[in-house]
Amino acid sequence: MAGPARPQHAPETTRSIGIKDVARAAGLSITTVSHALNGKGKVNARTRERIREIADDLGYRPNPAAQVLLSGRTGVVGLAAGHQSAEAWERTYRPYYASLTAGATVEAVDRDYALVVVPARPGSDLWTRIPMDGLIVVDPVAGDPVIAEAVRRGLALVTDGRPLDPEHARIPYVSGDMSAGVPLALDHLHGRGVRRTGLLTGPELDSYTLDSERAYARWCAERGVAGRVERIAPGESARDAARRLLAASAGRPDGVHALNETYGEALLAVAAEAGLSVPGDLQITAAGDPGPGPRPPLTLLDLAPRRIGALCAGLLIDLLDGRAPRPVSVPCALVPGASTRR
């Protein structure tokens, strides 16, 4: 049997329709209508559907400012990415963060949030002009000023990479599993005949760098081999550090793992300068994102940045919804390339 005809309520004027108009047309209280339209309160399904139909007929559109006041939420989350030094940012960090941001954006939009990228400089005007409910901080360091400012502002926080300060130990985070990922790359080199491994690492003392260095040291200790770690100094080019690593003829590494593609490309360039063939004289693995587009001829340890970004956004929204998300460790995969293919 057909139900009662749906009432038609046409506004008499061109003024904007408010929640009071919907309540008047429905013959219900403003509180009941507000709960129905916002998915809150104990409103039965039939009443909720009827209120929404009346609101649609009237042309009601929620007032964004009123929604913020009502819920205390802006519906916006931020992402702050550091390490924007010229060489590394242009050739490695920007592509990595682009994939991470894409993953975070898709997840946020799927869950009815907008995502904005803000500078990793808390004094920036964007921090005051763009209201945010929460923030994803990428690669936090000890004493991180971005985390400190976000805590001061009362923002919900999730980090890509383990926070290093004890007082931030309760912040949920997503991280690549370097304890397994780095040995995966080193085992790959060893299986192709490498016996003197090196590690080319950077100046950023974040958990990704520190965990990678620890995993390398542990791998060398377990096999009773001497490791060789070359750290790029602040402001130094990756090629200068690669030259130091490959300078000695005696004891020179015949295989190197680089912490990102910028460093891997520097090793390729310096090997060519020194007349070393790759992979004949030197084999190279590098951590990165084997996504679409032109890639250097490197064997890559896939850090899965798109998945990490999506997980970060998901954890942040779970936190905003009152859940207590736990840290997530993302496994790495090895994608063989020409730099280790004999």
Side-chain angles (χ1 to χ4, degrees), residues 196 226 228 244-254 276:
R196 299 181 306 278
R228 172 78 187 277
R244 286 198 303 274
L245 183 60
L246 302 180
S249 55
R252 174 182 54 78
D254 56 348
L276 301 173

Side-chain angles (χ1 to χ4, degrees), residues 14-277:
T14 58
R15 69 177 178 84
S16 62
I17 300 299
I19 201 166
K20 291 182 180 179
D21 300 296
V22 180
R24 188 180 304 113
L28 297 168
S29 71
I30 292 174
T31 299
T32 299
V33 170
S34 174
H35 285 171
L37 294 176
N38 290 292
K40 297 182 177 180
K42 296 180 179 179
V43 182
N44 68 58
R46 179 175 294 182
T47 301
R48 193 183 301 273
E49 182 61 27
R50 175 172 168 263
I51 290 170
R52 288 177 175 172
E53 288 177 350
I54 291 172
D56 286 344
D57 289 339
L58 290 172
Y60 168 77
R61 295 292 179 270
N63 182 307
Q67 293 287 95
V68 169
L69 290 173
L70 183 67
S71 66
R73 299 274 188 88
T74 66
V76 177
V77 291
L79 185 148
H83 302 340
Q84 296 184 21
S85 57
E87 178 186 36
W89 177 259
E90 288 299 322
R91 303 197 61 181
T92 291
Y93 293 126
R94 185 172 64 179
Y96 174 86
Y97 288 156
S99 290
L100 186 145
T101 303
T105 300
V106 170
E107 180 67 16
V109 170
D110 281 349
R111 296 183 62 173
D112 294 327
Y113 275 80
L115 183 139
V116 296
V117 178
V118 297
R121 300 186 301 277
S124 166
D125 284 347
L126 276 177
W127 279 70
T128 55
R129 288 191 285 112
I130 297 180
M132 297 178 287
D133 296 324
L135 184 67
I136 299 167
V137 179
V138 182
D139 289 334
V141 296
D144 197 296
V146 179
I147 291 182
E149 179 64 12
V151 169
R152 189 185 72 80
R153 290 173 181 263
L155 296 175
L157 270 173
V158 166
T159 60
D160 164 31
R162 175 173 44 84
L164 297 178
D165 297 305
E167 63 268 31
H168 299 149
R170 298 177 65 87
I171 295 175
Y173 65 87
V174 181
S175 65
D177 185 3
M178 293 302 103
S179 64
V182 170
L184 182 64
L186 297 173
D187 285 344
H188 177 79
L189 291 169
H190 187 79
R192 279 154 178 74
V194 169
R195 294 299 176 262
R196 299 181 306 278
T197 63
L199 183 74
L200 185 57
T201 183
E204 297 86 10
L205 296 181
D206 50 38
S207 64
Y208 167 71
T209 302
L210 296 175
D211 291 349
S212 296
E213 291 177 359
R214 289 192 192 104
Y216 173 75
R218 186 167 55 250
W219 186 90
C220 291
E222 287 172 354
R223 284 154 184 79
V225 298
R228 172 78 187 277
V229 178
E230 193 66 55
R231 180 181 294 281
I232 300 165
E236 181 183 36
S237 77
R239 290 193 184 191
D240 286 342
R243 289 186 184 101
R244 286 198 303 274
L245 183 60
L246 302 180
S249 55
R252 174 182 54 78
D254 56 348
V256 178
H257 177 64
L259 289 202
N260 60 49
E261 291 174 70
T262 298
Y263 304 165
E265 289 186 73
L267 287 164
L268 289 173
V270 171
E273 287 176 6
L276 301 173
S277 68

Side-chain angles (χ1 to χ4, degrees), residues 264-337:
E265 289 186 73
L267 287 164
L268 289 173
V270 171
E273 287 176 6
L276 301 173
S277 68
V278 177
D281 300 315
L282 176 69
Q283 298 190 58
I284 303 168
T285 60
D289 173 24
R295 315 298 307 174
L298 290 167
T299 289
L300 287 178
L301 184 65
D302 183 2
L303 300 178
R306 186 176 290 265
R307 184 182 177 203
I308 287 176
L311 287 168
C312 284
L315 259 62
L316 182 57
I317 295 169
D318 285 347
L319 191 63
L320 289 167
D321 287 344
R323 301 185 185 93
R326 299 178 64 83
V328 178
S329 180
V330 177
C332 305
L334 199 74
V335 181

